[in-house]
Amino acid sequence: MAKDKDKQEIEYTKERAQVRISVRNLVEFVLRSGDIDHRQSGGDSITAMQEGSRIHRKIQKKMGANYHAEVPLKYIITYDDYELGIEGRADGIIYEEDGVCIDEIKGVYMDIDGMQGPVDVHLAQAKCYAYMFATQQHLDSMDVQMTYCNLDTEDIRRFRMHYSYEELEGWFLDVIKLYKRWSDFAFYWKQTRQDSIHALEFPYAYRPGQKEVARDVYRTIARNHILFMQAPTGSGKTLATIFPAVKAVGEGLGERIFYLTAKTITRVVATDTLRLFAQQGYRGKTVEITAKDKLCPFDASKCDPDHCTRAKGHFDRINDAVYDLLQQQDIFDRETIAAWAGEREVCPFEMNLDVASWCDNIICDYNYVFDPNVYLKRFFSDGIRSDAIVLVDEAHNLVERGRSMYSETLVKEELLDMKKHFKIYNGGIPKALDRCNKIMLEWKRQCEDVLLLEEMDSFLLALMRLANAMETFFEKHIELDHMDEIREFYFRVRNFLNLSEWMDDHYQIYCDFTGENLFQIHLYCMDPSRMLQERMDKANACVLFSATLLPVNYYKRLLCTKEDVYAIYAKTIFDEKRRKLLIGRDVTSKYTRRSREEYQKFATYIRTIASGKKGNYMVFFPSYAFLEQVYEAMNKKDLRAFDFIRQESGMTEEDRDLFLQEFEKARDKSLLAFCVMGGIFSEGIDLANEKLIGAIIVGTGLPQVSHERKILMDYFDRIGGDGFAYAYLYPGMNKVEQAAGRVIRTTEDVGVIALLDERFCYGEYQRTFPREWTDYSVETMDSVEKSVTKFWEEWDEIFP
């Protein structure tokens, strides 16, 4: 054994280009095999959250002085044109009298007493560390210890193996051979990409203010910073953010770009922008990540070899399938992934994620970066800095999405339903369910309307016991009726437990009743800024932009924790004379004023505005119920004078497309499209030119009064903020501004925006208006016809 114990990290000079990969990613990628089988609990994905956390530290602290924790290790392999750098951090290195032992700690939810041996991929990780350390220290042999700790009970089980250096070397070099074609691809593709970026130029003449935006985005990336950008519709923000990000990658300021958006249409716009660059010679691999339920051609809930032929042997085929696709083309959209996966008989969703690992541009939903259960572990796991540039489109959505990602709810009655499902299997699950139910029953007795809890330690302990028992059940591969419900319930229990580890004063625990009188407990994240910031910290830079990111301090407060972030307001390119902005001051959607008479007033406004010029109009309501009330208030003459379409709850993508196709049709009379604010038609759709000439906003869009909103309001009041504004005003006005933005999409558009509620005249509401909303007129039912008619007549004179 070598005596120099302190020399635990190999230093290498970086005279040549180097491809780097972590030990964990290496073994998990090249050594995977067999089937997809989601009948297992999925505990390993949750385990990824725990690495380097409390359990690791607790075990390491109990070891003696001869135990060295968190030891960084590197190993370099030299090829003709580049080096392959393999690195990682051994959980522990134990110096003993007769040798050295690598200790690899894994926190798991499985029954460790039933384990026959270590998990192959876990052992492979430890063997890599053993070879790397033995090579560094010139050792003849090494011991490897796998330490498994049940995260619920904290019970520990260890497996120990002994290997000669020759055994470790032969095994390790075989693993490296399997990875060689992939490291070759990574190196030579990067050369191709970088060469193409250096020659890339902005594809059009810059619009007013667009060059300044691009410059600010590039500066943000170069300084590893965060930028908030209010960019009015039509300012070219997508192009002005992606272009400088691509150029920054060319300058080595990042390795890949994540373009995050919740809307299908904005994903298409981002992909089309990169296609445009490709036409100019840019070579970058781009992938759109599509949700599993939209990509799977079968029953997405049954991912196992008994129900899906593609799941059987998937991991035996997937690496070749991905490699071959990467050689074929550069842009991988939903259709491409689906077709290729079908040809190669692999799961399209898993293939989608694997292709993303090798792409330069990843276009996806927010959750693949921010959601603790869905995020891409290869790029954003603990201890990994991704070298990513994160661009967040429609960033105003991230406040509520963030709250949702870091919150969880459990329903008492579901505990009883689960107990029924486990009639033919016990395994301690019914007893554990009874414990949880008993605690919730006591809370239910105390709860008249809403019950705020200071702590829930006994409930968490009962949940841990339940989760542990369910984990053991899943390991036995027993099939019961209602397995989909059982798994879904288990995942929510696990999520509740995991989120409770993050619980601080940004959270509120409370109980209440659903509309069906079901009793539930909420672990509610009121302020997601800390968790979102942790994810942003793993990227090189982050740009958050939207046409409605006002007031910007509200979003800065809730989306990050840093004080020195940048914020800019992009210039609008629109001529205000092309738009009629009016406020209807003699109507309101206030609950206290809702009546048939008020609904008829709104109907009168809608009729009058839509009669000003034949064309397509969207009318946005605060709720489906309000929409129906106003529709019923339209008289028979109105129903004959206009064509009507209405947004329905739960519309599919096909329904949405058919709805939007109505705006393409030639008509003899005006079209009135009744929609809901904050819904699928209030943002992310482009109806340019004469496809839409009016947006009529009914009410201020304030969220409905609820326990959740009351808790938010009290929280922000308590910490010195404006509780009403944070809980109601700002979210509501964002919906208003998004809906209004449907009208003016290009510099050629002309249209009317009507804000129908007296509250739009109030100072606190007007302070949230965009800068360009200064030319509004205040109208009544008596004056609006003349005002709208005059606007259109003036335009008819200019464009007869």
Side-chain angles (χ1 to χ4, degrees):
M1 172 184 167
K3 300 295 183 182
D4 186 7
K5 297 179 184 179
D6 293 329
K7 189 177 178 182
Q8 295 178 343
E9 183 172 353
I10 304 171
E11 297 288 339
Y12 293 94
T13 59
K14 301 185 77 173
E15 297 175 351
R16 309 172 62 194
Q18 188 177 110
V19 175
R20 299 167 58 201
I21 187 171
S22 72
V23 167
R24 177 171 180 167
N25 284 341
L26 172 68
V27 298
E28 287 184 350
F29 178 63
V30 300
L31 298 180
R32 57 185 177 173
S33 63
D35 308 330
I36 298 174
D37 194 344
H38 288 180
R39 292 173 298 189
Q40 302 257 357
S41 67
D44 192 59
S45 63
I46 303 297
T47 301
M49 295 175 57
Q50 305 293 335
E51 290 210 320
S53 68
R54 179 181 56 84
I55 287 296
H56 277 69
R57 293 192 297 271
K58 188 171 184 178
I59 292 173
Q60 290 163 342
K61 286 179 180 178
K62 289 182 177 179
M63 307 304 288
N66 64 334
Y67 190 97
H68 290 226
E70 302 298 328
V71 179
L73 295 170
K74 294 181 180 179
Y75 187 85
I76 303 295
I77 297 175
T78 301
Y79 296 124
D80 289 342
D81 295 325
Y82 68 93
E83 295 174 343
L84 174 62
I86 303 161
E87 55 191 49
R89 190 176 293 272
D91 292 330
I93 296 181
I94 310 170
Y95 293 89
E96 300 170 326
E97 291 185 3
D98 56 349
V100 181
C101 179
I102 293 290
D103 186 30
E104 182 66 18
I105 303 170
K106 295 295 179 184
V108 296
Y109 289 117
M110 64 178 66
D111 176 14
I112 58 176
D113 291 333
M115 295 180 68
Q116 300 299 309
V119 177
D120 289 343
V121 73
H122 296 165
L123 179 59
Q125 194 173 343
K127 288 171 71 175
C128 284
Y129 292 137
Y131 173 72
M132 292 161 68
F133 188 79
T135 301
Q136 171 190 331
Q137 300 291 342
H138 310 292
L139 304 180
D140 296 330
S141 63
M142 287 283 293
D143 280 6
V144 169
Q145 177 174 278
M146 291 302 308
T147 300
Y148 286 95
C149 178
N150 185 288
L151 291 168
D152 287 328
T153 64
E154 297 191 7
D155 291 339
I156 291 175
R157 186 173 182 191
R158 294 183 169 92
F159 299 93
R160 187 153 175 155
M161 284 69 63
H162 178 82
Y163 298 99
S164 69
Y165 180 80
E166 289 74 17
E167 288 177 307
L168 290 171
E169 182 178 45
W171 174 86
F172 182 81
L173 294 180
D174 284 343
V175 170
I176 297 305
K177 286 178 185 177
L178 292 174
Y179 191 68
K180 176 63 165 56
R181 64 170 174 168
W182 296 97
S183 60
D184 281 350
F185 169 78
F187 173 72
Y188 294 114
W189 176 256
K190 181 175 180 178
Q191 284 189 328
T192 299
R193 182 195 70 192
Q194 298 300 82
D195 290 343
S196 74
I197 293 174
H198 295 153
L200 184 65
E201 296 183 354
F202 200 77
Y204 306 119
Y206 284 104
R207 298 177 184 178
Q210 198 175 28
K211 190 171 186 177
E212 289 78 7
V213 167
R215 186 184 297 120
D216 286 335
V217 170
Y218 188 88
R219 185 181 296 117
T220 298
I221 296 168
R223 295 176 180 176
N224 303 117
H225 224 67
I226 295 173
L227 171 67
F228 286 81
M229 178 170 62
Q230 162 77 10
T233 300
S235 58
K237 59 182 179 294
T238 303
L239 184 56
T241 51
I242 294 180
F243 178 76
V246 169
K247 295 296 283 187
V249 169
E251 295 301 319
L253 300 175
E255 266 303 303
R256 60 185 46 81
I257 298 167
F258 280 84
Y259 191 96
L260 310 184
T261 176
K263 304 292 182 180
T264 301
I265 185 64
T266 43
R267 294 184 202 178
V268 172
V269 171
T271 303
D272 287 346
T273 299
L274 290 159
R275 290 187 198 275
L276 176 64
F277 293 167
Q279 293 170 10
Q280 294 187 305
Y282 168 61
R283 300 296 306 280
K285 301 289 183 185
T286 298
V287 64
E288 295 178 19
I289 298 182
T290 305
K292 183 177 181 180
D293 59 343
K294 295 180 179 179
L295 199 53
C296 180
F298 309 118
D299 184 348
S301 67
K302 297 186 181 299
C303 287
D304 63 74
D306 292 338
H307 294 94
C308 178
T309 56
R310 297 192 191 182
K312 188 170 183 61
H314 165 89
F315 292 114
D316 300 325
R317 302 184 294 273
I318 186 60
N319 283 9
D320 286 339
V322 170
Y323 185 84
D324 292 344
L325 177 57
L326 290 170
Q327 312 309 308
Q328 293 293 320
Q329 60 195 82
D330 292 349
I331 296 181
F332 314 109
D333 56 16
R334 173 176 173 177
E335 292 72 24
T336 299
I337 295 292
W340 197 267
E343 181 180 326
R344 293 304 187 94
E345 281 293 304
V346 294
C347 169
F349 180 68
E350 294 294 334
M351 183 173 187
N352 203 175
L353 297 180
D354 281 331
V355 168
S357 296
W358 301 95
C359 281
D360 309 296
N361 309 299
I362 300 170
I363 301 170
C364 58
D365 188 85
Y366 308 132
N367 58 7
Y368 292 103
V369 172
F370 295 111
D371 192 310
N373 296 305
V374 184
Y375 74 93
L376 298 173
K377 296 190 293 293
R378 177 178 180 125
F379 303 114
F380 298 104
S381 289
D382 290 343
I384 294 176
R385 187 173 176 86
S386 69
D387 289 334
I389 298 166
V390 177
L391 308 177
V392 185
D393 197 357
E394 306 291 352
H396 60 275
N397 287 311
L398 192 54
V399 174
E400 289 303 328
R401 284 291 302 276
R403 285 183 178 133
S404 176
M405 290 174 191
Y406 304 116
S407 300
E408 188 57 89
T409 295
L410 296 176
V411 179
K412 176 186 176 299
E413 285 73 13
E414 289 183 354
L415 299 171
L416 303 178
D417 291 339
M418 283 299 116
K419 189 174 179 181
K420 295 175 185 176
H421 297 336
F422 282 95
K423 281 183 177 179
I424 64 172
Y425 174 87
N426 191 306
I429 293 177
K431 184 177 180 180
L433 286 164
D434 282 340
R435 287 195 196 100
C436 296
N437 183 63
K438 182 178 179 181
I439 296 169
M440 289 194 74
L441 182 61
E442 178 57 33
W443 287 332
K444 183 178 180 180
R445 289 172 179 152
Q446 300 174 36
C447 182
E448 296 182 2
D449 184 33
V450 60
L451 176 66
L452 304 183
L453 300 175
E454 294 295 326
E455 58 85 23
M456 53 175 177
D457 293 348
S458 60
F459 184 63
L460 290 176
L461 180 60
L463 277 183
M464 287 180 186
R465 290 170 176 164
L466 171 60
N468 203 38
M470 294 189 76
E471 183 72 38
T472 302
F473 160 74
F474 287 121
E475 289 169 14
K476 295 180 179 179
H477 296 280
I478 298 171
E479 285 292 313
L480 301 178
D481 292 337
H482 310 286
M483 283 303 296
D484 290 344
E485 293 176 36
I486 291 172
R487 288 191 192 92
E488 176 61 27
F489 173 77
Y490 168 80
F491 285 131
R492 282 190 283 111
V493 168
R494 275 285 171 223
N495 194 42
F496 197 99
L497 288 168
N498 287 324
L499 292 175
S500 71
E501 294 287 325
W502 289 356
M503 193 166 55
D504 58 11
D505 58 3
H506 294 92
Y507 276 85
Q508 176 65 61
I509 317 162
Y510 73 98
C511 300
D512 66 0
F513 296 88
T514 69
E516 294 77 31
N517 206 35
L518 303 178
F519 185 70
Q520 54 191 353
I521 180 171
H522 306 271
L523 182 55
Y524 181 50
C525 178
M526 301 173 291
D527 179 355
S529 58
R530 178 173 63 86
M531 286 73 78
L532 294 173
Q533 183 69 62
E534 286 181 11
R535 291 282 173 244
M536 292 184 205
D537 286 343
K538 296 184 181 301
N540 277 6
C542 186
V543 178
L544 302 102
F545 56 102
S546 170
T548 57
L549 208 59
L550 297 175
V552 71
N553 285 337
Y554 164 72
Y555 291 100
K556 287 164 66 175
R557 169 68 182 77
L558 290 179
L559 296 182
C560 72
T561 59
K562 292 185 176 178
E563 297 289 336
D564 60 338
V565 298
Y566 301 151
I568 62 172
Y569 198 120
K571 293 179 181 178
T572 181
I573 62 170
F574 297 118
D575 182 352
E576 293 180 359
K577 295 177 181 178
R578 304 181 72 89
R579 177 202 64 211
K580 175 64 180 176
L581 177 64
L582 66 89
I583 298 174
R585 67 172 177 81
D586 50 354
V587 285
T588 184
S589 63
K590 289 180 179 178
Y591 286 98
T592 55
R593 293 259 297 273
R594 293 187 182 184
S595 63
R596 179 165 181 77
E597 180 183 2
E598 202 69 20
Y599 297 135
Q600 287 174 339
K601 288 181 181 180
F602 280 114
T604 299
Y605 262 111
I606 294 166
R607 176 196 318 121
T608 304
I609 295 168
S611 298
K613 181 179 176 66
K614 190 187 76 171
N616 299 332
Y617 296 80
M618 299 186 86
V619 188
F620 293 96
F621 297 89
S623 67
Y624 286 103
F626 206 109
L627 182 156
E628 290 298 327
Q629 292 287 353
V630 174
Y631 182 78
E632 291 177 9
M634 306 290 286
N635 60 41
K636 292 181 179 179
K637 184 178 178 181
D638 295 333
L639 298 179
R640 291 193 300 268
F642 303 103
D643 289 336
F644 284 90
I645 54 175
R646 289 184 287 178
Q647 179 181 344
E648 304 288 345
S649 178
M651 293 177 80
T652 64
E653 276 196 50
E654 183 180 0
D655 295 333
R656 174 185 176 277
D657 292 341
L658 290 173
F659 188 93
L660 293 176
Q661 286 172 21
E662 292 294 321
F663 293 85
E664 309 281 346
K665 297 178 180 178
R667 298 178 183 276
D668 296 326
K669 48 189 174 180
S670 288
L671 171 69
L672 287 176
F674 279 22
C675 304
V676 176
M677 271 187 276
I680 55 177
F681 300 114
S682 65
E683 60 179 282
I685 62 169
D686 280 306
L687 296 170
N689 301 319
E690 294 186 355
K691 293 178 185 176
L692 187 69
I693 64 169
I696 303 171
I697 319 299
V698 175
T700 56
L702 302 189
Q704 291 187 355
V705 175
S706 65
H707 297 143
E708 183 179 283
R709 291 289 137 181
K710 176 66 164 57
I711 286 168
L712 277 179
M713 187 166 68
D714 291 346
Y715 169 74
F716 287 107
D717 279 339
R718 189 166 62 250
I719 63 173
D722 185 337
F724 172 76
Y726 273 58
Y728 291 99
L729 178 59
Y730 298 156
M733 286 303 296
N734 187 276
K735 293 179 185 178
V736 169
E737 291 162 21
Q738 278 290 329
R742 297 315 93 208
V743 179
I744 306 297
R745 309 297 297 174
T746 73
T747 55
E748 301 303 314
D749 290 346
V750 181
V752 174
I753 299 172
L755 309 177
L756 304 184
D757 198 297
E758 64 185 28
R759 286 173 286 181
F760 290 121
C761 294
Y762 299 173
E764 60 184 325
Y765 287 80
Q766 293 196 355
R767 282 190 288 273
T768 71
F769 283 9
R771 288 179 186 173
E772 52 272 19
W773 280 17
T774 57
D775 60 334
Y776 60 85
S777 65
V778 179
E779 308 292 347
T780 65
M781 284 188 294
D782 293 331
S783 68
V784 69
E785 180 178 5
K786 181 178 179 180
S787 182
V788 171
T789 300
K790 180 182 177 183
F791 171 76
W792 287 118
E793 285 177 348
E794 289 175 351
W795 271 104
D796 286 341
E797 290 177 6
I798 299 173
F799 298 103

